[in-house]
Amino acid sequence: MTALLFVLGVIVLAEALNKLERTSPCARGISPRQRLLAWLKAIAWSLLAWAGAGALAGPLFGYAPPSLRELAMFAGFTVLIIRTRFKEG
């Protein structure tokens, strides 16, 4: 289960960092609503990146094995990420 969480964490972390890089909440010329949505998106991707990094650090620092809930959450995000990548072509 730890190895699976590690692999899922790599996928989630990579995608979160990729999306976070493309989010620009401080861009010039966007409306207040667009700015708010961009900040919310940046916060969400930051939290996912943090969770992905935690999944990678867990085995290295000897944290408790992942629970089924953690695996299900990471697997769900990973499936959504992969689905989006296939949908984009």
Side-chain angles (χ1 to χ4, degrees):
M1 285 183 31
T2 303
L4 178 60
L5 183 66
F6 187 85
V7 170
L8 296 174
V10 167
I11 295 170
V12 170
L13 179 61
E15 184 67 13
L17 292 176
N18 181 32
K19 294 286 189 175
L20 189 58
E21 181 181 20
R22 293 189 277 148
T23 304
S24 54
C26 297
R28 292 180 177 266
I30 61 175
S31 71
R33 183 177 188 277
Q34 289 172 321
R35 189 172 309 281
L36 173 64
L37 292 176
W39 272 110
L40 291 173
K41 188 185 291 188
I43 290 168
W45 285 116
S46 296
L47 291 170
L48 280 172
W50 188 16
L56 298 180
L60 299 175
F61 295 109
Y63 294 142
S67 66
L68 184 59
R69 179 179 57 198
E70 289 174 312
L71 281 174
M73 182 196 64
F74 272 98
F77 279 117
T78 303
V79 167
L80 288 173
I81 289 166
I82 292 170
R83 178 193 157 272
T84 302
R85 289 292 177 167
F86 277 115
K87 189 176 170 184
E88 289 174 354

